[in-house]
């Protein structure tokens, strides 16, 4: 790990943030992920939802799958199941996962690729390890993130995006020591390939041992840092943060010209040969709408949840063709 690497010295660099003029976000809370069994029996670590879902708004759920070295026959997935009212974002760091939905969308997600499924008005899908991984075993490591949709977008048609590893925007820290992968959102004017309804940032960073990583951050966004592997600290207070832990940032104590999020990797990492401290950095514009949630459906009212179950049982979910969202490079091409 990780799947997408490059020489940081060849990448565009993040700006050097002023220590005195930046409003550094403070760590408000540290959450240790709880272990759960999902699908056909695979284990995940889940830092949220927890006692205070509002802290993560607009994110609904984060499932950390692995890293695990499967023996032959051990790999598991999920059976067919429905969703409505939000988006599922599956990012595979190592190994592979197959996705298929009732509109014909999907494919193989592997080694740094992301599949972004907007369930919205309703869809059914299945997620399974490929036959080769089941038969032979192997390394598997991935993340599934659920992103809420505002009331106005919960009824839009389903769509999906295939974001390949080569599509992700790669940046270096201001000192060239660390790598940041922008999967969605915008960081210092550099845009990720993911197309979102809800304004968010979704980043994967490899912070070199002992290095400090400072990120400019939208003042209106919340900020979360989750540790995929290794250890380090979060915030100017240098709060210890280990694998499977989530730091929830609050506001800054000093209001400077802009906000910033800072982390630092420990000098020594627990995994021999590791490139550094592996973290996800998430943030978004809170939706701040009522949430009615039951199983695979996330809506605004209990009545809408009841309707979702009725629509699913009546076969009215996942029948409309999904819209496949083109890559940004395709969107920028002039029409013939």
């Amino acid at each position: 790990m990780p799947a997408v690497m490059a020489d940081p010295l060849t990448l565009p660099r993040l700006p050097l943030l002023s220590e005195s003029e930046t409003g550094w976000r403070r760590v408000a809370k540290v959450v240790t992920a709880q272990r759960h069994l999902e699908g056909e029996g695979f284990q995940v670590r889940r830092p949220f939802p927890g006692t205070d879902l509002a802290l993560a708004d607009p994110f609904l759920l984060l499932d950390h799958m692995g890293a695990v070295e499967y023996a032959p026959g051990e790999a598991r997935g999920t059976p067919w199941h429905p969703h409505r009212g939000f988006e599922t974002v599956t990012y595979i760091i190592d190994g592979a996962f197959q996705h298929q939905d009732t509109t014909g969308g999907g494919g193989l997600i592997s080694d740094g690729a992301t599949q972004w499924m907007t369930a919205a008005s309703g869809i059914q899908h299945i997620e399974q390890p490929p036959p080769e991984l089941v038969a032979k075993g192997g390394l598997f490591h991935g993340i599934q993130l659920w992103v809420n949709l505002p009331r106005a977008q919960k009824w839009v048609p389903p769509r999906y995006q295939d974001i390949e590893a080569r599509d992700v925007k790669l940046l270096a820290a201001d000192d060239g020591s660390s790598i940041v992968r922008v999967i969605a959102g915008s960081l210092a004017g550099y845009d990720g390939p993911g197309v979102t309804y809800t304004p968010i940032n979704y980043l994967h960073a490899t912070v070199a041992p002992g290095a400090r990583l400072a990120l400019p951050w939208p003042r209106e966004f919340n900020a979360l840092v989750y540790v995929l592997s290794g250890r380090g600290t979060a915030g100017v207070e240098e709060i210890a943060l280990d694998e499977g832990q989530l730091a929830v940032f609050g506001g800054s104590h000093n209001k400077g010209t802009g906000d910033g999020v800072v982390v630092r990797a420990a000098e020594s990492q627990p995994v021999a040969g590791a490139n550094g401290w592996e973290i996800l950095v998430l943030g978004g514009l809170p939706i701040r709408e009522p949430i009615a949630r039951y199983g695979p459906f996330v809506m605004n009212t209990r009545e809408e949840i009841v309707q979702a179950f009725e629509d699913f049982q009546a076969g009215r979910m996942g029948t409309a063709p999904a819209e496949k969202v083109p890559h940004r490079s395709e969107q920028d091409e002039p029409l013939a």
Side-chain angles (χ1 to χ4, degrees):
M1 182 177 65
V4 185
M5 287 297 292
D7 180 355
L9 299 179
T10 66
L11 300 175
R13 294 198 185 186
L14 294 168
L16 179 63
L17 301 182
S18 168
E19 292 299 320
S20 60
E21 296 181 3
T22 300
W24 297 107
R25 297 286 188 96
R26 301 281 178 158
V27 176
K29 187 175 186 178
V30 172
V31 177
T32 299
Q34 300 298 307
R35 295 183 184 270
H36 298 266
L37 287 179
E38 279 296 310
E40 296 169 333
F42 63 91
Q43 188 177 93
V44 301
R45 284 178 283 184
R46 184 176 296 164
F48 64 84
T51 56
D52 192 351
L53 183 60
L55 291 173
D57 183 12
F59 306 112
L60 297 165
L61 173 145
L62 178 68
D63 275 354
H64 182 191
M65 304 173 287
V68 58
E69 188 75 37
Y70 283 125
E74 281 187 346
R76 298 284 186 272
T78 69
W80 284 96
H81 59 282
H83 289 301
R84 173 178 281 179
F86 62 100
E87 303 180 285
T88 67
V89 184
T90 306
Y91 173 44
I92 301 301
I93 300 167
D94 286 301
F97 220 38
Q98 292 182 145
H99 164 90
Q100 182 182 359
D101 64 48
T102 48
T103 66
L108 186 69
I109 324 166
S110 64
D111 296 335
T114 302
Q115 186 141 61
W116 200 300
M117 186 185 81
T118 303
S121 59
I123 201 168
Q124 297 178 55
H125 74 149
I126 186 172
E127 300 159 298
Q128 294 285 326
E132 296 81 6
L133 182 60
V134 176
K136 299 179 181 179
L139 179 61
F140 180 78
H141 193 193
I143 292 288
Q144 186 166 101
L145 178 70
W146 289 12
V147 185
N148 199 10
L149 289 170
R151 187 191 305 268
Q153 274 78 52
K154 286 188 180 293
W155 296 98
V156 300
R159 71 181 189 189
Y160 66 93
Q161 303 171 67
D162 291 316
I163 301 172
E164 298 184 13
R166 65 173 180 267
D167 300 322
V168 172
K169 184 63 182 178
L170 299 180
L171 304 173
D174 57 71
D175 62 359
S177 63
S178 306
I179 293 179
V180 178
R181 304 158 191 82
V182 185
I183 298 170
S186 183
L187 186 66
Y190 296 99
D191 296 332
V195 178
T196 72
Y197 281 109
T198 305
I200 67 168
N201 281 347
Y202 186 11
L203 318 175
H204 171 197
T206 302
V207 189
R212 180 179 184 268
L213 175 64
L215 305 173
W217 207 250
R219 183 159 287 170
E220 66 276 16
F221 279 20
N222 57 16
L224 312 167
V225 170
Y226 177 76
V227 182
L228 297 167
S229 69
R231 58 189 173 214
T233 64
V236 291
E237 319 95 305
E238 298 196 342
I239 304 298
L241 206 61
D242 293 334
E243 180 176 329
Q245 290 189 311
L246 174 82
V248 181
F249 287 79
S252 59
H253 285 208
N254 60 311
K255 292 298 182 182
T257 56
D259 278 8
V261 171
V262 63
V263 296
R264 186 184 296 275
E267 291 283 354
S268 63
Q269 296 296 324
V271 179
N275 293 299
W277 189 36
E278 302 291 345
I279 59 173
L280 291 181
V281 187
L282 307 172
L285 185 66
I287 296 173
R288 296 191 177 98
E289 292 179 350
I291 292 178
R293 177 176 185 158
Y294 194 89
F297 306 128
V298 182
M299 303 301 288
N300 296 112
T301 67
R302 181 182 180 279
E303 290 74 20
E304 289 171 331
I305 294 294
V306 172
Q307 180 183 352
F309 275 101
E310 291 175 348
D311 288 347
F312 170 59
Q313 292 167 354
R316 293 191 293 265
M317 192 168 291
T319 57
E323 173 193 356
K324 184 173 182 178
V325 178
H327 297 311
R328 286 185 185 273
S329 58
E330 296 172 348
Q331 291 174 320
D332 294 340
E333 292 177 357
L335 296 176

